[in-house]
Amino acid sequence: MHTVVVGTSGVTASDVLAVARADARIELSEEALTALAAARGIVDALAAKPDPVYGVSTGFGALATRHISQELRTQLQRNIVRSHAAGMGPRVEREVVRALMFLRLKTVCSGHTGVRPEVAQTMADLLNAGITPVVHEYGSLGCSGDLAPLSHCALTLMGEGEAEGPDGVVRPAAELLAEHGITPVELREKEGLALLNGTDGMLGMLLMALADLDTLYKAADITAALSLEALLGTDKVLASELHAIRPHPGQGASAANMLAVLTGSGLTGHHQDDAPRVQDAYSVRCAPQVAGAGRDTLAHARLVAERELASAVDNPVVLPDGRVESNGNFHGAPVAYVLDFCAIAAADLASIAERRTDRLLDKNRSHGLPPFLADDPGVDSGLMIAQYTQAALVSEMKRLAVPASADSIPSSAMQEDHVSMGWSAARKLRTAVDNLTRVLAIELYAATRAIELREGLTPAPASQAAITALRKAGVEGPGPDRFLAPDLAVADAFVRDGRLLAAVESVTGPLA
């Protein structure tokens, strides 16, 4: 099994995906253990002094003015976890919780939090044992960290609350820890606070969304190319010299992908045949511009994610010179903005894909295809309602594109008077990614059927590879009406798990 070694300088996006989605094992480096011990020595020294230090010997948030006596500090750390574990709503997905826990461990190992080495090791032990705390959807405002979600994770570390075992069954955390020989942690000065103060949930969801969207943007170039073929469009608009004079990197990459898919097509270039067209509709002609803008948005989001991965987000932080200083680095705005930006780009990509699908089904705009791609129009309805489903998905994605990060509701008696709502931005982006997959699956379903209805014309080899693979996956070609939902589900899985991309790349080589 793949092992991820956590040091003091952060982790990579692939490390997070390996732990969250592939259950990679975790080891703490000697460098991290040394840094943890050194930072803890600073916290212990400050805790022994009579002067109040925020997070070490004081209350939290609006209650930070109270100096906490030594005999109450263990109770203070335990209480902050219990009281902050106040989430509600549906359970958050296992992969999200694993990413959340791993990213908090990454920051703990930076040596800037003051957490004891044994606490960090226990966090790694939980992940390695496949124990996943029950975390609820609502509770984070994306400021002072993803407080409620992280608190539910810290509660499991203490042997309290509920968690899911490696068998997928939810049970009391104390039972699961005992079964795996893990001793619950008794938190000391600053440790409760250090386990809760981070942007880890929103960052984990951003990293997973970026990985999924990387595949989906390539899939969107493929489905756009298939639709162009099915509509007998021209590929001249994809020429590299046209995109070089507007040098947005994503646009050039998207156009090159489409051109690679269409190489050798016998369907392109027929726009001057029976019903001559000077140019194709925007949804076809401008596909690289729209998908390309989304690609460039993802590139910016990756830059933000990489910076966040290299960060130690906590408050207060332990500095190398021995100071423990309060700060505002836990504010989720940088991550929240790009989460919202990705949702906007995904919605627009889905919107243009839906327009191409609708064009394929409209006999007045499809350039010779039967209405709704039906076998016997009137008797058969064809893909009429598949487009309704696609439209419903796109409509929801437009609502999900409304920025969460533009909102703020003050909390903690106005101490935390401006929050990021980054967790909410991440949650809606996950839904948007799921919906985009379904939208592209429906365009794929329609475009492949339409190409097969162009009798006497041969699609590009890459297009034919996609059609053949889809048919082998269990999606039937043109014919009388049948129960469509199972076909669409198979098409969805075909896009989602990368089989569409793999089929095309078997001909074209790697797409950009």
Side-chain angles (χ1 to χ4, degrees), residues 352-368:
I352 197 171
E354 182 276 328
R355 286 294 80 205
R356 290 190 296 264
T357 304
D358 183 65
R359 184 167 289 271
L360 289 167
L361 305 188
D362 184 350
K363 70 180 182 66
N364 297 310
R365 295 180 292 139
S366 67
H367 311 289

Side-chain angles (χ1 to χ4, degrees), residues 91-107:
R91 280 182 60 196
V92 172
E93 304 86 354
R94 181 178 186 270
E95 66 176 14
V96 172
V97 179
R98 287 184 62 83
L100 170 77
M101 294 168 68
F102 178 63
L103 286 167
R104 184 79 315 230
L105 175 61
K106 176 269 299 184
T107 286

Side-chain angles (χ1 to χ4, degrees), residues 15 22 50 52 58 85 140 156-157 159 180 205 211 221 255 275 280 315 343 361 364 376 378 385 390 429 459 493 501:
D15 289 337
T58 71
S140 173
T156 298
L157 203 65
H180 289 84
M205 286 186 275
D221 292 338
D280 291 314
N315 181 49
L361 305 188
N364 297 310
D376 184 4
I385 307 305
Q390 197 182 40
L429 177 58
L501 181 59

Side-chain angles (χ1 to χ4, degrees), residues 7-204:
T8 60
S9 57
V11 296
T12 66
S14 60
D15 289 337
V16 177
L17 293 171
V19 171
R21 290 181 164 173
D23 290 348
R25 290 192 62 79
I26 299 160
E27 291 181 5
L28 307 186
S29 70
E30 288 299 321
E31 172 198 35
L33 293 170
T34 300
L36 283 159
R40 185 63 206 179
I42 293 171
V43 171
D44 285 342
L46 289 170
K49 293 181 178 181
D51 302 323
V53 177
Y54 177 68
V56 176
S57 53
T58 71
F60 311 112
L63 302 176
T65 54
R66 179 176 172 183
H67 182 223
I68 307 299
S69 60
Q70 238 167 354
E71 64 272 14
L72 293 176
R73 289 177 191 170
T74 298
Q75 181 180 339
L76 168 69
Q77 300 301 321
R78 184 168 57 246
N79 285 352
I80 190 176
V81 172
R82 288 173 172 170
S83 65
H84 285 44
M88 293 185 73
R91 280 182 60 196
V92 172
E93 304 86 354
R94 181 178 186 270
E95 66 176 14
V96 172
V97 179
R98 287 184 62 83
L100 170 77
M101 294 168 68
F102 178 63
L103 286 167
R104 184 79 315 230
L105 175 61
K106 176 269 299 184
T107 286
V108 164
C109 288
S110 70
H112 289 293
T113 67
V115 168
R116 288 170 293 150
E118 52 264 43
V119 175
Q121 185 59 59
T122 305
M123 295 171 74
D125 292 343
L126 276 181
L127 286 161
N128 288 339
I131 297 172
T132 307
V134 170
V135 173
H136 300 281
E137 179 138 17
Y138 301 102
S140 173
L141 300 182
C143 200
S144 287
D146 289 318
L147 287 174
L150 282 164
S151 297
H152 283 276
C153 294
L155 198 67
T156 298
L157 203 65
M158 291 164 46
E160 300 183 18
E162 290 188 320
E164 178 186 301
D167 59 358
V169 177
V170 174
R171 295 163 54 196
E175 290 182 13
L176 286 167
L177 267 62
E179 279 185 13
H180 289 84
I182 299 172
T183 302
V185 170
E186 183 175 69
L187 301 175
R188 288 169 46 180
E189 290 94 344
K190 195 184 179 299
E191 290 179 334
L193 190 60
L195 295 176
L196 315 186
N197 244 317
T199 55
D200 308 293
M202 62 184 93
L203 176 58

Side-chain angles (χ1 to χ4, degrees), residues 202 206 209-210 213 217 297-298 300-301 304 332-348 397-408 419-430 432:
M202 62 184 93
L206 174 61
L210 289 173
L213 287 167
Y217 267 80
T297 298
L298 299 186
H300 172 62
V304 172
V335 183
Y337 292 166
V338 293
L339 286 162
D340 279 331
F341 205 171
C342 288
I344 291 169
D348 201 35
M397 290 182 70
K398 291 176 180 178
R399 295 191 295 272
L400 293 169
V402 175
S405 58
D407 187 28
S408 175
V419 297
S420 77
M421 297 297 181
W423 174 273
S424 300
R427 296 306 296 166
K428 67 187 183 65
L429 177 58
R430 285 181 68 81

